[in-house]
Amino acid sequence: MTVKSVFVGLASLGFVACAGAQSDSESETVPTIEDVKADPEGWRAADPDNLIIFDTTKGEIVIELLPAVSQSHSDQFKAYTKAGLYDDTPFHRVIKGFMAQGGDVERVHGADKMLEPMEGEFIFKRDPSEMPLDTIGPSDSAVGGFYNGFPIETQAQFLAEMTMDGTVESFIPHCRGVVSTARTDDPNSGNAQFFLMTGRAEHLDEGYTAKGRVLIGQDVVEVIKLGPEPNGFPIANADILRKATLVSTLPEAEQPTVWVQKTNSQIWMDKLTAADQLGNHICDLPAVPAVME
C-alpha cells in the first residue's frame, strides 16, 4: 500500500525564496562557471558523496544532502539511490505551492526491496564552534542563518554556554527548495518516500526530517505535473523519476563538479543585514546559487 504523508494547513502556504530556488520576484543574475573562476575563494565544491542527480521526465534536478543534520535519513536516501530503487518511480503526489512527493519504492519495485523505517531526525545538536552559521543579525543571538548554503533555524548561540555539551538545538526549516522525508502520522515511519518543497511549510518544521536541498533544477521541480486538489493524488500519467544517481558512484572522469556560493561574502552579509532590519525569516532570503561543470 502506498504510504501517504500527513500534511495540514495547505491553504495557508505561500511562495517564498529559499536556498535552492528563487521566487518569481527575484531578479538576481544567474551565475556561471566563469563567475566561479573569477572568485574561486567565494565558492565551495560540494562533496560528490552527498550529491544526487535526478533525471526526470521534466528535466534534471541536483540535490545536496546534509548528513550532519540527519545522518540516518541521508544514508538511507543514498542507499536507495545506489540500489537503483528510485529509478522509474513516479511523482505520485504533487500539490501546487507546497511540494512534489515521490520515491514510492514499494509500489514500483516491491515490498521486499524496502529497508526499515527510520526514527525521526527532526532536530540536531549543533556545536557553534564546529558548525558556525552566517546569520541574520548578531551571531550570538541570531535564530536563523546559512550553513554551507543550507537554511538553518536554531536556538541562540549564547545558550550553548549553558548546556553540558556546548550545543544548541537546530534544524533545517521547510523552505522552498528543501528536500524532506515523507511519513505517516507515526513520527518514526519515514522510509523511502521523499518530497521536494515548492513553498514554505512552517507546520512541517520539527516534525518531518529535512535532509537536503535542491541546488540546481528548482525550475524543474516547479513544473512537475500537479495532482488534483486538494490532496494532490491520484495523478494520471504522472511525471517520472527515470534515474537517480549518487555522483560519487560515477567513474571519476564522469563526475560533475558542483560549486556552491559561500554566504560569508560582503554581498551575502549585506543581504543578511537587510533581512535582519526587515525582520525576515531565513526562508525569505533569495537562493544560494550553485553552478555545475
Side-chain angles (χ1 to χ4, degrees):
M1 184 174 72
T2 299
V3 177
K4 298 183 178 68
S5 300
V6 178
F7 300 112
V8 296
L10 304 183
S12 65
L13 296 176
F15 285 92
V16 295
C18 181
Q22 293 195 62
S23 70
D24 294 338
S25 64
E26 291 293 336
S27 57
E28 304 208 355
T29 302
V30 177
T32 67
I33 192 60
E34 296 306 316
D35 295 305
V36 177
K37 292 177 179 178
D39 180 26
E41 296 302 314
W43 299 77
R44 67 173 178 89
D47 183 348
D49 199 44
N50 291 325
L51 285 175
I52 292 176
I53 299 177
F54 281 179
D55 172 24
T56 80
T57 46
K58 283 289 172 60
E60 193 170 82
I61 301 167
V62 180
I63 291 167
E64 183 178 23
L65 300 175
L66 186 58
V69 309
S70 51
Q71 187 71 59
S72 296
H73 284 243
S74 295
D75 287 348
Q76 192 139 307
F77 196 63
K78 290 192 280 188
Y80 279 118
T81 298
K82 288 189 285 187
L85 292 172
Y86 283 136
D87 299 357
D88 302 315
T89 56
F91 288 96
H92 62 274
R93 184 171 186 242
V94 185
I95 299 174
K96 184 177 180 180
F98 182 22
M99 60 87 215
Q101 182 174 338
D104 194 346
V105 170
E106 182 175 356
R107 187 177 77 176
V108 175
H109 297 293
D112 60 316
K113 300 296 194 299
M114 297 297 293
L115 301 174
E116 291 299 315
M118 296 168 289
E119 291 189 7
E121 295 176 293
F122 310 135
I123 298 172
F124 69 99
K125 296 285 190 176
R126 184 177 63 87
D127 183 337
S129 65
E130 296 180 359
M131 195 175 180
L133 304 183
D134 296 320
T135 57
I136 297 176
S139 59
D140 198 48
S141 58
V143 294
F146 287 116
Y147 175 73
N148 280 351
F150 290 88
I152 301 290
E153 276 196 59
T154 184
Q155 290 180 314
Q157 181 174 307
F158 75 85
L159 293 173
E161 300 174 3
M162 305 177 190
T163 61
M164 293 291 293
D165 57 2
T167 67
V168 289
E169 293 186 347
S170 307
F171 61 91
I172 297 178
H174 284 76
C175 310
R176 183 172 178 244
V178 161
V179 180
S180 192
T181 307
R183 64 170 177 83
T184 66
D185 56 359
D186 178 354
N188 299 317
S189 62
N191 201 324
Q193 292 191 34
F194 59 84
F195 55 97
L196 313 178
M197 297 300 299
T198 56
R200 171 77 174 111
E202 185 177 358
H203 66 280
L204 302 186
D205 294 347
E206 304 179 79
Y208 287 75
T209 301
K211 56 196 171 191
R213 72 181 187 104
V214 174
L215 294 183
I216 299 169
Q218 183 67 25
D219 57 332
V220 175
V221 179
E222 302 290 340
V223 295
I224 290 172
K225 186 176 181 181
L226 297 173
E229 295 181 355
N231 295 318
F233 67 91
I235 305 175
N237 301 313
D239 279 316
I240 303 295
L241 171 49
R242 296 185 293 206
K243 185 172 182 59
T245 302
L246 182 64
V247 170
S248 62
T249 64
L250 295 170
E252 189 171 350
E254 297 177 17
Q255 293 181 16
T257 300
V258 178
W259 299 95
V260 181
Q261 192 173 47
K262 297 177 181 179
T263 54
N264 60 358
S265 66
Q266 188 59 53
I267 291 175
W268 276 100
M269 290 298 103
D270 290 345
K271 292 178 181 180
L272 290 161
T273 298
D276 182 39
Q277 293 171 346
L278 293 170
N280 285 343
H281 185 272
I282 189 63
C283 289
D284 296 326
L285 270 75
V288 176
V291 177
M292 185 164 65
E293 65 169 338

